[in-house]
Amino acid sequence: MGSAEIIDGKAFASQVRADVGKKAAVLKEKYGLIPGLAVVLVGNDPASEVYVKNKGRSTLEAGMQSFEYKMDSEVSQEEVLARVENLNIDDRVNGILVQLPLPNQVDADAVIASINPEKDVDGFHINNVGLLNTGQDALIPCTPLGCLLMLKNYYGDLSGKNAVVLGRSNIVGKPMGSLLLRENCTVTIVHSRTIDLPNQCRQADILIAAVGKPEMVKSDWVKPGAVVIDVGINRIERDGKSRLVGDVDFTSVSEVAGAITPVPGGVGPMTIACLLKNTLTAACRQAGISEPE
Ligand code: GUN
């Protein structure tokens, strides 16, 4: 095989954001509705701070309102729950995202459960998980949604493809499996206890790597011509420099794969674009209006 096609997530994400921006303009003009997204950040993890800043900027660029709440790393669970409750009843706020991970003293499951499911733009609330898994209208987790949009843009119909999802997190692996099943793929979810991971991954027409292990997927794990979506964002030291790498060994795998997403510039920008998309969807549903075409 030659070199894989590089799937440009950055360019595709800017199309998605522009589309959201157009729809937001219609909502404002027709209904006086300006969707609002609230992001809660607990503590001062530098990577999370960068994400939150990017989310805020993109929200404003799409013509929506952005609200940011920073809370001290020592904050109590009750204080986080009280903040979420305020946002649940705030009419300006259509979407609520509490940045994960949370410090140990705060129970993430309890915080997620406290978010009004209609405002749960992360799609992490069990109501949305249940809706997705039963084929109903859910708010869908942003990273898997971004991966799916890129795959559909590349392939069109995904019916009958062998999809292997590496990783079983609630944020990516499990919802990714559900989404691909909904698209009629044959889905296998593999993880740290799977026997013969390389062989399982080699069966994939579509391979989604979401384990958080730098450059774990090697070229002999990949079927020639497969589409490889790399969800990992890992910071490593190489040649004395700090670098971002994915869960896929990009250099060797791009010699075998048919198409591959780069890190950075692949899945990451799509996640933010899908967050804006979900916020617009949530605002329309809350207002009882259909999404502009
Ligand atoms: N931390 C890493 N990814 C995510 C995400 O998609 N949503 C939230 N809330 N936190 C995250």
Side-chain angles (χ1 to χ4, degrees):
M1 289 296 289
S3 284
E5 177 180 335
I6 310 295
I7 299 177
D8 187 346
K10 202 171 163 197
F12 189 37
S14 71
Q15 279 178 36
V16 174
R17 286 193 282 123
D19 181 60
V20 171
K22 270 191 213 144
K23 289 177 176 170
V26 173
L27 291 180
K28 187 174 176 189
E29 197 189 309
K30 253 176 117 173
Y31 306 101
L33 173 61
I34 306 175
L37 171 65
V39 176
V40 179
L41 175 62
V42 181
N44 37 25
D45 172 53
S48 294
E49 281 185 342
V50 172
Y51 291 141
V52 169
K53 211 168 125 201
N54 287 341
K55 283 170 188 163
R57 197 188 52 221
S58 307
T59 308
L60 296 174
E61 275 171 16
M64 308 201 286
Q65 297 184 86
S66 169
F67 307 95
E68 269 178 38
Y69 300 90
K70 288 200 174 165
M71 304 184 88
D72 193 86
S73 59
E74 306 293 320
V75 74
S76 70
Q77 172 156 337
E78 287 65 35
E79 287 171 282
V80 179
L81 292 175
R83 166 56 60 208
V84 170
E85 191 44 37
N86 275 331
L87 298 173
N88 279 341
I89 58 177
D90 186 336
D91 287 338
R92 299 169 307 164
V93 172
N94 304 106
I96 302 170
L97 180 147
V98 180
Q99 184 71 26
L100 302 178
L102 289 165
N104 288 338
Q105 77 277 12
V106 183
D107 176 355
D109 288 337
V111 171
I112 291 166
S114 74
I115 297 172
N116 175 351
E118 293 192 358
K119 295 190 177 185
D120 168 38
V121 283
D122 262 327
F124 294 165
H125 192 286
I126 55 172
N127 281 28
N128 282 312
V129 176
L131 289 168
L132 171 61
N133 281 293
T134 52
Q136 301 178 70
D137 277 347
L139 286 165
I140 295 170
C142 305
T143 299
L145 181 57
C147 295
L148 183 72
L149 293 179
M150 286 193 286
L151 284 168
K152 288 178 84 161
N153 189 50
Y154 181 82
Y155 267 129
D157 184 14
L158 306 182
S159 286
K161 304 278 184 212
N162 274 345
V164 175
V165 180
L166 175 54
R168 53 176 157 176
S169 69
N170 292 336
I171 296 184
V172 185
K174 286 181 210 158
M176 190 75 244
S178 299
L179 278 176
L180 291 165
L181 191 57
R182 201 177 74 172
E183 298 296 324
N184 306 310
C185 291
T186 302
V187 177
T188 308
I189 299 183
V190 298
H191 48 78
S192 54
R193 306 288 176 92
T194 296
I195 293 167
D196 201 351
L197 267 179
N199 185 49
Q200 291 288 347
C201 292
R202 253 191 319 271
Q203 310 309 313
D205 303 311
I206 295 168
L207 178 61
I208 314 272
V211 271
K213 297 259 183 283
E215 300 176 330
M216 178 176 177
V217 175
K218 307 295 182 196
S219 58
D220 61 346
W221 294 35
V222 175
K223 175 156 97 177
V227 176
V228 179
I229 306 285
D230 190 352
V231 179
I233 301 178
N234 309 291
R235 190 163 285 285
I236 62 160
E237 289 283 324
R238 179 172 292 153
D239 306 330
K241 284 190 194 144
S242 166
R243 297 172 60 99
L244 281 185
V245 299
D247 292 348
V248 176
D249 181 5
F250 183 86
T251 309
S252 71
V253 171
S254 56
E255 290 299 312
V256 178
I260 185 169
T261 60
V263 176
V267 174
M270 286 301 290
T271 298
I272 293 189
C274 288
L275 177 64
L276 304 180
K277 189 171 156 61
N278 279 352
T279 303
L280 188 120
T281 300
C284 291
R285 288 185 190 163
Q286 286 156 36
I289 55 184
S290 48
E291 260 182 61
E293 286 301 312

